[in-house]
Amino acid sequence: MRPLWTSGTATSLRTGFPRVPLCPPWFSSLLPLLIFVLGSTACSKGSSSARAEKAAVSTPAPESAAAPGPDSTPPNSGPLPQIDSKRTFQYIKEIVAFGTRPMGSENHKKVENYITSHLKGDQVEDDAFTVDTVEGMFPVRNIIAKYPGTKDGITVILGHYDTNYPLRNIGFVGANDGGSSTAILLEYANHLRGKKRDGYSVWLVWTDGEEAVRQWSETDSLYGTRHLAEKWEKDGTLKKIKALLVMDMIGDADLNIERETNAPAWLSDLVYQAAERGGVQSHFYARSAAIEDDHLPFVKRGVPSIDIIDLDYGYNNLFHHTAQDTIDKLSPRSLEIVGNTVLEAIRMLDRR
Ligand SMILES: [Zn+2]
């Protein structure tokens, strides 16, 4: 994915591959003043997050607190949904063990088989096709697992499983970038399997070809989801989607989920409220950014969509798209924080 900063200036910042400054260029000159005025907010990493998480005081949702949405929904009375974070972490280890997994590679095929081997007995569909890129032709395969609900409508959760093609020869294994998203969806399948949901149907999509094959652009990126969004537009599926959530790079031990500004305010707020219910809101929305990721083809078609992503992976995003994107940078606790929050968000969406 690619970040485009929106806070502060209206100018989009095109950042050098692969490293991405986390603050706009004017930030450093204003830093002393901002620190004085804002304390540890703004572009900092929110050093007080652990304290805030444990505090009983509820932080108000940032920005559009008065936006229409689920605010009037009574607090959830049932226990919060829980993922098995150790099992999810183990999935990442197994995925990483395949090695680098770019489109068209043998290892990619192995991960496809790994995913489908965990979906036995589920309703699984492929969106498989061939794409013509600047690096040649590639097979692309989105894997879709459908879990029916009682309500008319669909909540879609997407996460990509390919690793970056330009990094195929540097030992890039994408523990966070590609690994964490694949694993969390496998864990969600465990939760959804074998029971009819009292709510919307949930479709899990392991997307392919999220990464650029040479350099990120509108035509060199998001191969899988651009195809899927077009297909779902033609067959009428898009109209049934109540919300679409992309999960990407969610395993960083130092977890800070962005407020992704392509998302409608009500959906951002709903996710924040889900985090509040778990008391983990300090890991959400310290920073705002517009990010180009798998949700964009759906955003462009009017589907309420959000990218759940931590694009501050290591100091100054140092580990992103490097051989250092390895399992030791991740933690089961982060998977639990994001995993439980999105499960709760899915439940809250059922009541909208
Ligand atoms: Zn990536």
Side-chain angles (χ1 to χ4, degrees):
M1 79 306 304
R2 183 175 70 168
L4 298 170
W5 284 99
T6 55
S7 56
T9 62
T11 316
S12 296
L13 184 63
R14 280 181 174 246
T15 55
F17 176 85
R19 293 179 189 170
V20 177
L22 285 164
C23 299
W26 46 262
F27 184 78
S28 57
S29 61
L30 293 178
L31 192 57
L33 178 66
L34 282 170
I35 286 172
F36 178 73
V37 174
L38 299 174
S40 64
T41 58
C43 289
S44 83
K45 292 277 293 168
S47 57
S48 61
S49 60
R51 259 180 293 130
E53 187 184 326
K54 284 174 189 141
V57 180
S58 172
T59 312
E63 297 172 23
S64 51
D71 299 20
S72 57
T73 310
N76 186 17
S77 53
L80 290 171
Q82 298 284 326
I83 66 154
D84 183 334
S85 59
K86 287 201 179 101
R87 179 168 57 188
T88 313
F89 198 69
Q90 179 61 26
Y91 288 151
I92 301 178
K93 283 187 183 168
E94 290 166 7
I95 292 160
V96 164
F98 291 120
T100 194
R101 311 171 297 280
M103 279 200 298
S105 66
E106 271 306 303
N107 288 348
H108 186 284
K109 194 81 205 158
K110 287 178 189 168
V111 180
E112 291 174 47
N113 294 337
Y114 178 83
I115 294 167
T116 54
S117 73
H118 284 79
L119 303 175
K120 293 221 171 84
D122 299 347
Q123 187 188 343
V124 178
E125 281 175 22
D126 278 353
D127 172 34
F129 57 101
T130 304
V131 76
D132 193 4
T133 78
V134 288
E135 294 287 349
M137 305 286 282
F138 289 94
V140 182
R141 180 184 180 190
N142 298 311
I143 300 168
I144 306 159
K146 301 181 173 180
Y147 303 92
T150 52
K151 277 182 92 172
D152 191 21
I154 309 161
T155 300
V156 184
I157 316 291
L158 297 93
H160 80 96
Y161 70 94
D162 60 311
T163 57
N164 190 288
Y165 183 85
L167 305 179
R168 66 195 177 283
N169 296 322
I170 66 154
F172 177 77
V173 296
N176 201 19
D177 192 1
S180 66
S181 39
T182 309
I184 197 72
L185 264 61
L186 289 174
E187 177 61 10
Y188 283 172
N190 296 333
H191 272 256
L192 296 162
R193 181 169 300 124
K195 48 200 163 197
K196 185 147 185 169
R197 302 195 70 250
D198 183 20
Y200 295 121
S201 296
V202 175
W203 292 6
L204 304 177
V205 187
W206 288 262
T207 68
D208 195 7
E210 186 270 339
E211 303 281 7
V213 297
R214 190 175 293 173
Q215 187 166 17
W216 190 282
S217 70
E218 226 172 291
T219 52
D220 185 9
S221 65
L222 310 179
Y223 292 100
T225 42
R226 280 192 286 134
H227 186 271
L228 188 63
E230 196 181 326
K231 181 181 160 181
W232 280 355
E233 185 170 46
K234 281 184 191 150
D235 71 11
T237 300
L238 286 193
K239 290 197 192 85
K240 299 178 195 159
I241 299 176
K242 300 298 175 184
L244 181 145
L245 297 87
V246 170
M247 301 178 76
D248 198 2
M249 297 179 66
I250 50 148
D252 185 1
D254 183 10
L255 185 70
N256 291 280
I257 301 292
E258 324 287 338
R259 185 180 179 100
E260 205 284 309
T261 57
N262 287 303
W266 71 261
L267 186 52
S268 296
D269 291 349
L270 183 140
V271 169
Y272 191 83
Q273 286 162 12
E276 278 188 315
R277 289 184 185 180
V280 295
Q281 69 275 10
S282 62
H283 295 278
F284 287 75
Y285 301 172
R287 296 160 305 152
S288 294
I291 295 168
E292 297 185 2
D293 205 346
D294 266 337
H295 59 318
L296 269 200
F298 301 94
V299 168
K300 286 175 181 166
R301 290 169 171 83
V303 177
S305 308
I306 188 169
D307 193 14
I308 312 281
I309 185 167
D310 175 357
L311 202 44
D312 182 15
Y313 184 31
Y315 177 74
N316 212 16
N317 209 18
L318 195 67
F319 304 144
H320 182 218
H321 285 179
T322 73
Q324 295 177 76
D325 182 358
T326 46
I327 192 90
D328 55 297
K329 315 298 189 308
L330 313 188
S331 88
R333 175 64 183 146
S334 293
L335 297 168
E336 187 174 46
I337 289 167
V338 182
N340 292 351
T341 296
V342 172
L343 270 188
E344 176 62 5
I346 292 169
R347 209 156 68 154
M348 290 165 70
L349 283 162
D350 290 335
R351 298 197 295 269
R352 284 191 92 245

